[in-house]
């Protein structure tokens, strides 16, 4: 993991370092986020499909 330096020589250097660190973080965690979002979307879709199947049973009661 990279060290974050609070004291920077110039705002431009700090912005460049922030950009590099953000890119590294996205490489590490971005793919995991995308996979998690796909799984959540699939689970929501399956839950909606199951709820839709149960509607006729609820209406008859």
């Amino acid at each position: 993991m990279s060290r974050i330096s609070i004291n920077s020589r110039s705002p431009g250097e700090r912005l460049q370092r922030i950009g590099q660190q953000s890119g590294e973080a996205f490489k590490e965690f971005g793919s995991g986020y995308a996979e998690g979002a796909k799984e959540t979307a699939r689970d929501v879709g399956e839950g909606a499909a199951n709820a839709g199947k149960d509607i006729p049973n609820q209406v008859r009661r």
Side-chain angles (χ1 to χ4, degrees), residues 44-60:
V44 167
E46 289 173 1
N50 289 336
K53 290 177 186 176
D54 194 42
I55 289 175
N57 294 334
Q58 295 295 325
V59 172
R60 287 186 209 146

Side-chain angles (χ1 to χ4, degrees), residues 3-11 14 17-18 21:
R3 270 201 135 145
I4 298 174
S5 175
I6 295 174
N7 297 325
S8 178
R9 292 184 181 180
S10 74
R14 183 167 185 264
R17 195 168 24 252
I18 290 171
Q21 291 171 346

Side-chain angles (χ1 to χ4, degrees), residues 1-4 12-28:
M1 182 178 254
S2 301
R3 270 201 135 145
I4 298 174
E13 288 175 359
R14 183 167 185 264
L15 289 174
Q16 182 179 8
R17 195 168 24 252
I18 290 171
Q20 289 171 341
Q21 291 171 346
S22 296
E24 290 172 11
F26 183 77
K27 286 178 189 174
E28 281 187 50

